[in-house]
């Protein structure tokens, strides 16, 4: 656990936006992915706690499904969250990009650093969160945690029909590739400008900042910051939590 000392009033303040409005169809029917239980606690609550554990974070904004803000507020109220951190729930939009923008719009004016975190990454270690914030505080306008790829990657020509063989076009060098995680950290003004300027569909907020021509930097991620997308990921997440309980003695 990082030092619990909070930043002073003269230091830049950090908020987190967690878009949690997606349905998570790859996990099958039922509750939205962020509300699925992990060791009896919704993944969203795990993700909120992971962000609030950082000594830098003083506000977490959860962007709920458009018709589910009340349910998410009740969910957070029902679970113990750090008292030193403020929490805010706002309705989201129809896309992740729109939901993040709504979360940004809800931030008070005195926050200079914004993290954007996937609700489906519930087990991010606090040291990873702190490393992202520290890189932004040191002057980077956009920071992403990432890990080297374990597998060889092939660039292919996508098949016209799913399941058909796909011709290989190239084999990129793994030394230059990274698998990107969250939380991604930003200078607030830069991220707001990206959301006001970039209209095309993107897969993460750092890509939007790249389209502005700004420099994005990578800091080391962590193997436990994986995204829970498929049923097998839930099994792995449960195993990580079980190991943490054993190691921490509870």
């Amino acid at each position: 656990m990082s030092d619990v000392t909070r930043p002073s009033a003269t230091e830049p303040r950090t908020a987190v936006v967690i878009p949690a409005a997606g349905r998570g169809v790859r996990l099958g029917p039922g509750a939205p992915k962020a509300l699925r239980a992990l060791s009896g606690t919704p993944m969203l609550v795990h993700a909120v706690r992971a962000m609030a554990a950082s000594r830098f974070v003083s506000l977490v904004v959860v962007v709920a499904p458009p018709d589910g803000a009340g349910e998410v507020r009740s969910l957070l109220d029902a679970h113990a969250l750090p008292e030193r951190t403020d929490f805010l729930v706002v309705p989201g939009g129809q896309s992740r990009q729109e939901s993040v923008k709504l979360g940004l719009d809800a931030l008070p004016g005195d926050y200079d650093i914004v993290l954007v975190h996937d609700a489906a990454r519930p087990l991010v270690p606090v040291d990873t969160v702190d490393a992202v914030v520290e890189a932004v505080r040191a002057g980077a306008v956009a920071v992403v945690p990432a890990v080297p790829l374990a597998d060889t990657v092939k660039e292919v020509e996508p098949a016209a029909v799913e399941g058909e063989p796909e011709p290989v076009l190239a084999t990129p060098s793994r030394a230059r590739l990274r698998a990107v995680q969250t939380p991604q950290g930003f200078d607030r003004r830069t991220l707001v400008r990206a959301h006001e300027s970039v209209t095309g569909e993107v897969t993460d907020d750092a890509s939007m900042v790249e389209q502005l021509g700004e420099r994005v930097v990578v800091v080391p991620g962590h193997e436990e910051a994986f995204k829970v997308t498929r049923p097998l990921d839930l099994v792995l997440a449960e195993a990580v939590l079980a190991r943490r309980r054993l190691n921490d003695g509870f």
Side-chain angles (χ1 to χ4, degrees):
M1 177 73 68
S2 295
D3 183 354
V4 296
T5 302
R6 314 304 290 179
S8 72
T10 59
E11 295 178 327
R13 303 185 76 196
T14 299
V16 182
V17 174
I18 301 181
R23 299 300 303 180
V25 293
R26 280 178 287 182
L27 276 176
K33 177 165 56 177
L35 305 186
R36 299 292 180 91
L38 185 59
S39 287
T41 301
M43 278 200 292
L44 175 60
V45 174
H46 285 287
V48 169
R49 287 173 175 167
M51 297 300 101
S54 170
R55 66 186 186 273
F56 296 115
V57 172
S58 54
L59 172 66
V60 176
V61 178
V62 177
V63 187
D67 58 351
E71 179 185 1
V72 171
R73 286 190 193 97
S74 297
L75 185 74
L76 295 181
D77 288 341
H79 291 80
L81 300 173
E83 293 183 359
R84 64 174 182 265
T85 305
D86 294 327
F87 301 93
L88 181 64
V89 179
V90 298
Q94 297 303 312
S95 68
R96 183 187 186 279
Q97 193 168 339
E98 183 182 354
S99 292
V100 172
K101 177 62 165 58
L102 290 168
L104 286 173
D105 291 344
L107 290 180
D110 57 345
Y111 285 89
D112 301 309
I113 297 173
V114 181
L115 307 186
V116 181
H117 182 58
D118 294 332
R121 297 183 190 271
L123 304 178
V124 179
V126 67
D127 289 346
T128 301
V129 184
D130 287 348
V132 171
V133 178
E134 287 167 343
V136 180
R137 286 162 62 97
V141 298
V143 180
V144 295
V147 294
L149 296 182
D151 299 321
T152 297
V153 175
K154 301 289 185 182
E155 180 185 357
V156 302
E157 180 66 40
V161 178
E162 185 176 356
E164 289 189 349
E166 298 175 319
V168 171
L169 301 178
T171 303
S173 170
R174 283 189 304 178
R176 296 175 60 88
L177 300 176
R178 298 292 183 269
V180 172
Q181 302 174 329
T182 68
Q184 299 184 354
F186 304 92
D187 165 72
R188 177 181 180 168
R189 288 170 297 182
T190 301
L191 184 59
V192 168
R193 183 159 57 93
H195 275 270
E196 291 174 343
S197 306
V198 178
T199 56
E201 193 65 29
V202 295
T203 56
D204 71 347
D205 295 271
S207 299
M208 301 175 71
V209 174
E210 289 176 46
Q211 291 188 41
L212 296 180
E214 298 284 356
R215 184 169 181 257
V216 178
V217 300
V218 167
V219 296
H222 196 280
E223 61 182 4
E224 292 182 1
F226 62 91
K227 190 172 186 178
V228 177
T229 303
R230 298 175 175 83
L232 185 59
D233 299 326
L234 281 172
V235 176
L236 179 57
E238 292 281 5
V240 171
L241 283 174
R243 187 190 66 194
R244 288 182 180 181
R245 285 194 296 269
L246 181 63
N247 291 343
D248 294 341
F250 66 88

